[in-house]
Amino acid sequence: MVSSVLPDHVPEELVRDFNIYAPPGIEEDFHQAWATLLHEGNDCPLVWTQANEGHWLPTRSSIIEEILTDYTSFSSRSIIIPKSHSADHGLLPTTIDPPEHHFYRKTLNHTMAPAAVNAMGEDIRRIVISLIDGFVEKGQCNFTREFADILPIRVFLSMMDLPEDDIPQTKYWTDQLIRPDGSISFADALQKLKDYIAPYVDERMGKDGADMLSRMINTESKGRRLSREEAIKLSIQVFIAGVDTVVNLLGFVFLFLARNKNHRLQISQGKTSAAQAVEEILRRFPIVTVAREVTEDMEFHGVHLKAGDIVAAPTPLAGMDNTFTPNAVDVEFGRKDGTSLTFGRGAHTCPGKNLARVELRIAIEEWLKRIPDFHVDGDSPVSFSSGIVGVVNELKLRWS
């Protein structure tokens, strides 16, 4: 999907060979692969790539923050790269802008409020403990398959009151939206998820229910409720986030802890809390790259943008950009000067951020109680994949 024709308004000197699905060096380090864009920042606040139908790439985190917060200039109607896939997306509320966005966001905020998430704490802890107890005596595990792939999905399906047996199939469809491998089209994967969730929406609309799906689709705001189509679209968006993003955050968090004994000791010895550790590791290792569509011809940081242009917003840059956070690459628990884009910014800040933090905090607390000293299995090299969400492909751990 490399565009063969350079748009007239794009100077040749701003063109770079950069594919967000395969940035240079992705096999060795996901974040360092993205860091190659930071080297352009002194002279080129934005660069252009012909990959994936052509789009802009900002080279500084402050510009990414502007793009994410200025919805009048950078619309969420196209959030997927390439742009043609956004036409198939159409989910709520990620593809609409304020003020229309407010009703749907209020519904999500109500469902994912801190009090509602904190009430799940002991259930999450039970799941975490049961997973760790299943392999702790072996002295090793495939962390990806035996923990990260299971925990967030079990928590999420429990909250939504959906069958755990559906995990493999629904995860496959979700993966094809986030990191397509060509085995099924984007549109077909999205339709499969719609067909999956629709019967549950039909069954629970208009009925009282304690589960998250029932509460979400039946929330009323100013006398208005979701239509059936809106409920399906909103449910799928929440589903995608619930079965993918936290799975991959766990991979990067525990890869860091496995490689950094001193940081593990700070937590296990009580020098810092797991909650503080989560905040700093998340700041350092953002993994999401969404897109925005330029709404009108404009000059932006000295670059001419045309209406309809796509601009990527790669949050992975924020964890390494010293102009955004001093000594950004250093993980310093308890730091006061960190600025994070891990959960986005502006109207579309991730509504599931509270749940993600709770899951990560409890996972670290219970893991370090049982496995305080662990490392990456030297016989299993770590590799990465890039896309809308970055991935540690497989993480195997060992301990005494």
Side-chain angles (χ1 to χ4, degrees):
M1 282 182 285
V2 177
S3 177
S4 59
V5 179
L6 185 67
D8 292 340
H9 67 290
V10 178
E12 288 189 15
E13 61 267 23
L14 294 185
V15 178
R16 300 292 184 274
D17 182 12
F18 195 98
N19 182 345
I20 69 166
Y21 295 100
I26 181 63
E27 299 82 6
E28 287 78 31
D29 190 301
F30 170 79
H31 288 87
Q32 283 304 312
W34 275 97
T36 57
L37 286 177
L38 291 174
H39 305 322
E40 307 286 349
N42 291 334
D43 302 316
C44 306
L46 291 100
V47 295
W48 176 271
T49 175
Q50 291 285 79
N52 299 300
E53 300 175 6
H55 62 87
W56 293 103
L57 284 160
T59 63
R60 280 291 176 265
S61 303
S62 58
I63 299 176
I64 296 169
E65 187 175 35
E66 285 185 64
I67 291 166
L68 291 174
T69 54
D70 183 3
Y71 59 83
T72 60
S73 299
F74 302 96
S75 172
S76 293
R77 58 178 171 252
S78 296
I79 65 168
I80 304 293
I81 293 173
K83 185 179 181 179
S84 60
H85 284 182
S86 283
D88 296 323
H89 193 286
L91 297 181
L92 299 174
T94 53
T95 56
I96 55 175
D97 301 309
E100 293 82 6
H101 166 268
H102 293 329
F103 168 71
Y104 306 104
R105 183 57 190 240
K106 187 173 183 180
T107 298
L108 286 178
N109 287 349
H110 172 74
T111 307
M112 305 291 285
V117 170
N118 290 335
M120 283 286 296
E122 290 311 306
D123 289 334
I124 294 172
R125 197 174 297 275
R126 279 193 291 271
I127 295 172
V128 168
I129 293 171
S130 70
L131 290 175
I132 299 173
D133 285 351
F135 51 68
V136 63
E137 296 300 328
K138 295 191 302 181
Q140 62 180 324
C141 75
N142 185 322
F143 178 82
T144 306
R145 304 288 174 256
E146 297 178 68
F147 192 84
D149 276 355
I150 300 174
L151 171 63
I153 301 176
R154 277 185 60 180
V155 169
F156 181 77
L157 293 182
S158 174
M159 293 175 70
M160 297 279 278
D161 192 18
L162 297 173
E164 286 189 16
D165 290 345
D166 296 340
I167 288 175
Q169 185 62 75
T170 53
K171 179 96 171 50
Y172 167 73
W173 293 329
T174 300
D175 285 344
Q176 296 311 305
L177 298 179
I178 305 298
R179 289 168 300 280
D181 63 13
S183 60
I184 184 175
S185 73
F186 185 95
D188 286 345
L190 186 58
Q191 187 60 51
K192 293 288 188 184
L193 279 173
K194 287 182 178 180
D195 293 342
Y196 168 77
I197 203 71
Y200 294 106
V201 170
D202 291 338
E203 176 188 351
R204 300 179 197 182
M205 280 197 81
K207 299 177 182 177
D208 291 332
D211 63 279
M212 187 173 76
L213 178 60
S214 294
R215 289 186 288 113
M216 181 175 67
I217 65 177
N218 292 305
T219 296
E220 183 174 311
S221 178
K222 296 182 179 179
R224 163 150 151 62
R225 290 194 176 197
L226 295 170
S227 68
R228 177 180 183 271
E229 185 66 19
E230 289 173 329
I232 290 172
K233 289 181 177 180
L234 189 65
S235 299
I236 293 173
Q237 183 59 61
V238 172
F239 191 92
I240 292 170
V243 304
D244 188 81
T245 307
V246 180
V247 168
N248 296 307
L249 285 172
L250 276 165
F252 284 97
V253 168
F254 274 79
L255 175 60
F256 173 80
L257 291 175
R259 287 174 167 173
N260 293 272
K261 181 175 183 178
N262 288 338
H263 288 83
R264 293 199 306 271
L265 289 174
Q266 288 181 54
I267 305 169
S268 59
Q269 293 177 356
K271 295 177 181 178
T272 190
S273 67
Q276 285 181 312
V278 165
E279 288 305 305
E280 175 63 356
I281 299 174
L282 287 178
R283 178 206 64 78
R284 173 61 180 86
F285 298 105
I287 59 175
V288 177
T289 299
V290 293
R292 295 290 187 262
E293 182 176 337
V294 178
T295 59
E296 60 183 357
D297 292 3
M298 59 187 288
E299 291 292 323
F300 185 67
H301 291 272
V303 177
H304 181 58
L305 308 182
K306 287 188 70 69
D309 281 358
I310 295 298
V311 184
T315 65
L317 296 189
M320 301 168 290
D321 187 349
N322 291 330
T323 68
F324 198 61
T325 295
N327 303 313
V329 174
D330 298 334
V331 174
E332 302 172 4
F333 292 157
R335 73 154 71 220
K336 305 300 182 184
D337 54 4
T339 308
S340 175
L341 292 182
T342 299
F343 293 113
R345 194 63 110 239
H348 288 284
T349 300
C350 176
K353 61 184 183 296
N354 299 317
L355 178 60
R357 286 181 169 117
V358 170
E359 289 185 60
L360 291 167
R361 172 179 59 79
I362 292 174
I364 291 174
E365 289 172 348
E366 298 301 332
W367 186 284
L368 291 181
K369 285 179 186 177
R370 293 159 178 79
I371 311 172
D373 190 22
F374 59 99
H375 59 273
V376 177
D377 185 341
D379 296 329
S380 301
V382 178
S383 65
F384 306 86
S385 296
S386 187
I388 297 169
V389 179
V391 180
V392 179
N393 290 327
E394 187 171 66
L395 176 60
K396 293 184 177 181
L397 302 175
R398 287 184 176 272
W399 53 91
S400 300

